[in-house]
Amino acid sequence: QNLPENRGRQAEFAPASAETGKMLFDLKGCAKCHTGKLSLENRFAHRSLTDFAVAMWNHSPGMAQPAPELRSEEMRRIVGYLWSQQLFDDPGNPERGKKVFTQDKCALCHDDASSGAPQLSGKLNLSSLAMVSVLWRHGPSMLQQMQKKKVSWPRFAGSEMADLLA
């Protein structure tokens, strides 16, 4: 905001479509270098947009190829794509997830076809966003079924939900 052309502008934050950001990330050549060890997937987990700006600032001198020319709208979309990965794709550990599934008694309903609950053991393939949607719609009926079976509503801590989803 200290640049002469930006002094009169009001600061704004408008998240962009992650889908178009992914397309631009590929189109502008970013994906060519950012694979394997240099992959940006999950690199920005639990980071702020300021952390992202710092990473971009520090990255510029070490780029293997000249930086692609990006308009501010294009950069906004690419940053939206990369930053959104931490919000919706929290990786979990499937082995720990199996333990959570067992210890929190999920199998009482989800391994029993007569319960009416979807049979999920070994088949759960939901994103965290989809899980929020499922719980919003089905949470009250799940709670009723759990109360009938005298099972307490599980409490998740740390990465347990991400592990369960994995």
Side-chain angles (χ1 to χ4, degrees):
Q1 286 188 333
N2 288 325
L3 295 173
E5 63 269 20
N6 291 334
R7 284 196 178 124
R9 291 182 62 193
Q10 183 176 348
E12 61 182 68
F13 174 73
S17 161
E19 192 173 293
T20 58
K22 167 76 170 119
M23 181 186 70
L24 279 166
F25 186 79
D26 294 339
L27 185 69
K28 294 293 185 170
C30 306
K32 289 177 187 169
C33 290
H34 290 287
T35 60
K37 282 196 235 177
L38 298 177
S39 173
L40 299 180
E41 189 173 298
N42 301 318
R43 177 100 32 118
F44 296 102
H46 312 293
R47 304 272 188 224
S48 70
L49 281 174
T50 303
D51 294 329
F52 191 89
V54 167
M56 291 293 293
W57 179 272
N58 292 338
H59 174 62
S60 188
M63 290 179 67
Q65 62 186 24
E69 189 173 315
L70 296 169
R71 296 186 323 258
S72 61
E73 174 62 23
E74 292 172 323
M75 180 56 88
R76 186 172 71 87
R77 290 177 185 277
I78 290 172
V79 169
Y81 156 64
L82 294 170
W83 195 64
S84 72
Q85 288 181 344
Q86 72 170 329
L87 303 175
F88 303 114
D89 298 326
D90 194 9
N93 179 304
E95 290 305 312
R96 288 192 310 243
K98 287 178 186 176
K99 290 178 186 171
V100 171
F101 190 82
T102 302
Q103 81 187 20
D104 287 352
K105 300 180 180 148
C106 304
L108 284 177
C109 293
H110 292 291
D111 276 352
D112 176 10
S114 68
S115 72
Q119 304 307 288
L120 301 175
S121 186
K123 295 189 246 179
L124 189 61
N125 188 16
L126 292 173
S127 68
S128 53
L129 190 59
M131 186 61 151
V132 169
S133 178
V134 166
L135 285 174
W136 187 257
R137 288 190 320 259
H138 303 292
S141 62
M142 286 173 56
L143 180 59
Q144 287 176 350
Q145 292 300 318
M146 291 174 77
Q147 289 171 336
K148 285 180 188 175
K149 291 185 179 214
K150 299 193 183 328
V151 175
S152 60
W153 187 262
R155 303 277 178 193
F156 297 103
S159 67
E160 288 179 332
M161 181 59 78
D163 295 338
L164 183 62
L165 292 173

